[in-house]
Amino acid sequence: MFWRWLLPALWALSAEADFFQLDSISNVSTYYFNYFYCNIWEGDCQPNQDDATEQVPTRDLWAGFPQDYISLLHQWYCSLGQCCESGDCRISNNITGLARDLQTKLHGQHLAQSVVLKAIQGFINNPESNKPLTLSFHGWSGTGKNFVARMIADNLYRDGVKSECVRLFIAPFHFPHARLVDTYKGQLRDATRDMVLRCPQTLFIFDEAEKLHPGLINAIKPYMDHYDNVDGVNYRRAIFLFLSNIGGATINDVALDFWHSGQNREDIGMEDLEHRLRAETIESQGGFAQSELISGNLIDFFVPFLPLEYRHVKLCARDAYVARGLETDEATLDEVAKAMVYVPKEERLFSAQGCKSIPQRINFFLP
């Protein structure tokens, strides 16, 4: 196979160091041997990224090699998926894909579609950002907060939420005991630092943020502030998402008021909601609301997720059938949508569960 002659070639070239740069060839040979041993032959090794022999060879190392040899080796190495134009193959930053997903897969959320896309796109396109991007998603359960967080991960990272550049924290699961909050602080600081060291553009997702213990988020507040670095680590390329139900009732009240006044929900603007969300977050209970992120104005956008109406539930049902490769019709979609609970009691306008249970509910309507 290809590498059976490639490694001997590298060693042979090393022996001809009078014609090339001995140190460069040695480093390159060692790097590719380590790569083969760890990844192709699955040897028992733990690569140390601080070791120069484990770093991807730079252009300077190739100065003494024949151009044909460099091209051949580069093509072969890239065919293994170990290099790409971005410089970090874990990161895809597919803004076009994110825009498409937000437009076609997220229903009834014109504000989230616009704000999230502009915020992410602006941040990605500005390598000199003076702080990490911090977004706070607000709304009822089932309105799409987790769904959008997953979209962001899927489009910014090759492996989506499974990427080593993505870290999800679920407040009641990862930090369940108030008496251990000091321990959690240290663990959270260490985890955040380690993630950013491995991947500067790390995506941190804090789900059920309203259930975080007081003081916990303050432990990593410096990492989200306007600092060039904290203890030698630069956090300004990281992205922090906080997902909570805080402000859900306020968002619903605004949407209901627009409906009562005969206005389209699409006419609801950020100016109608963002200041209310910020005020309600400050006044609410819990560690997230009482954190220095809020008082220090470190949240870049408070993103409202509107309650979903009957027509949006039908679209979610359609997507659920399509995702499973199943055909359906309008009558069946109506049946699925009608089976949901709607509030308020008089108007029966908004789905109480959003679209959260739709993928499971369609099983009931299958032949």
Side-chain angles (χ1 to χ4, degrees):
M1 298 178 72
F2 187 81
W3 57 80
R4 290 182 178 174
W5 59 264
L6 180 61
L7 284 177
L10 285 169
W11 289 322
L13 283 169
S14 297
E16 300 294 331
D18 290 341
F19 296 97
F20 305 115
Q21 300 174 10
L22 179 60
D23 290 341
S24 296
I25 296 172
S26 177
N27 282 342
V28 173
S29 300
T30 302
Y31 173 81
Y32 284 110
F33 176 80
N34 286 338
Y35 176 79
F36 293 137
Y37 182 64
C38 298
N39 295 281
I40 305 301
W41 297 329
E42 299 182 352
D44 183 15
C45 63
Q46 294 292 329
N48 179 5
Q49 293 301 315
D50 294 329
D51 187 340
T53 64
E54 296 291 348
Q55 303 297 322
V56 178
T58 63
R59 186 175 300 276
D60 293 341
L61 294 178
W62 300 103
F65 284 82
Q67 189 60 44
D68 291 345
Y69 176 79
I70 295 174
S71 298
L72 180 64
L73 183 58
H74 180 75
Q75 291 173 12
W76 173 82
Y77 181 64
C78 289
S79 72
L80 297 177
Q82 296 302 310
C83 63
C84 49
E85 292 182 3
S86 69
D88 188 336
C89 296
R90 300 168 299 179
I91 297 174
S92 55
N93 287 343
N94 183 4
I95 299 300
T96 301
L98 177 61
R100 181 180 60 250
D101 285 351
L102 287 169
Q103 186 64 38
T104 61
K105 298 179 181 179
L106 181 65
H107 307 302
Q109 303 297 352
H110 68 283
L111 293 176
Q113 288 170 339
S114 175
V115 175
V116 169
L117 180 61
K118 290 179 179 178
I120 295 291
Q121 184 173 27
F123 181 75
I124 296 299
N125 291 340
N126 178 23
E128 301 302 321
S129 175
N130 63 354
K131 68 178 289 293
L133 177 63
T134 306
L135 304 178
S136 186
F137 292 175
H138 298 262
W140 266 2
S141 177
T143 52
K145 301 185 299 293
N146 275 286
F147 191 44
V148 171
R150 179 178 290 272
M151 279 186 192
I152 294 172
D154 287 343
N155 285 286
L156 297 192
Y157 305 95
R158 179 191 62 192
D159 299 326
V161 292
K162 296 181 180 179
S163 172
E164 62 183 35
C165 295
V166 177
R167 183 66 186 270
L168 169 65
F169 295 101
I170 304 172
F173 177 77
H174 289 98
F175 315 111
H177 306 296
R179 60 186 174 81
L180 296 178
V181 67
D182 288 335
T183 300
Y184 296 150
K185 287 181 181 180
Q187 293 173 345
L188 184 57
R189 277 193 295 262
D190 290 344
T192 305
R193 183 177 188 276
D194 291 347
M195 287 289 293
V196 172
L197 282 173
R198 291 200 301 269
C199 181
Q201 188 186 301
T202 290
L203 172 64
F204 296 97
I205 304 170
F206 291 84
D207 195 12
E208 300 186 54
E210 73 277 7
K211 299 177 182 177
L212 290 166
H213 299 296
L216 181 57
I217 287 299
N218 289 341
I220 59 170
K221 178 259 183 184
Y223 304 159
M224 288 175 266
D225 213 328
H226 299 75
Y227 297 121
D228 290 343
N229 67 77
V230 179
D231 292 334
V233 180
N234 182 354
Y235 295 88
R236 290 182 297 173
R237 298 312 303 160
I239 301 172
F240 293 84
L241 303 181
F242 293 92
L243 285 53
S244 78
N245 295 331
I246 296 173
T250 297
I251 296 170
N252 295 352
D253 288 343
V254 170
L256 189 59
D257 288 343
F258 267 70
W259 183 81
H260 278 144
S261 64
Q263 299 180 78
N264 295 323
R265 65 185 278 135
E266 288 74 19
D267 293 331
I268 300 173
M270 286 293 287
E271 66 276 8
D272 298 308
L273 282 169
E274 190 171 25
H275 67 286
R276 298 191 189 190
L277 287 178
R278 188 180 189 281
E280 184 161 338
T281 301
I282 292 174
E283 295 171 2
S284 64
Q285 300 298 312
F288 176 60
Q290 299 170 12
S291 73
E292 294 177 12
L293 294 185
I294 309 300
S295 60
N297 297 310
L298 294 179
I299 303 293
D300 296 302
F301 294 97
F302 291 84
V303 185
F305 283 72
L306 302 176
L308 299 181
E309 300 176 9
Y310 182 90
R311 56 191 168 114
H312 305 126
V313 174
K314 283 185 64 176
L315 291 173
C316 291
R318 180 203 64 188
D319 292 348
Y321 276 100
V322 171
R324 293 173 60 172
L326 301 173
E327 294 185 0
T328 187
D329 53 35
E330 284 297 314
T332 302
L333 296 180
D334 277 319
E335 288 185 32
V336 175
K338 289 176 181 177
M340 304 295 284
V341 176
Y342 293 87
V343 295
K345 186 176 181 180
E346 295 78 15
E347 293 87 350
R348 291 177 51 82
L349 183 62
F350 305 132
S351 170
Q353 297 173 284
C355 282
K356 199 162 193 175
S357 63
I358 292 295
Q360 290 73 39
R361 280 180 173 264
I362 65 172
N363 293 323
F364 180 76
F365 299 92
L366 296 178

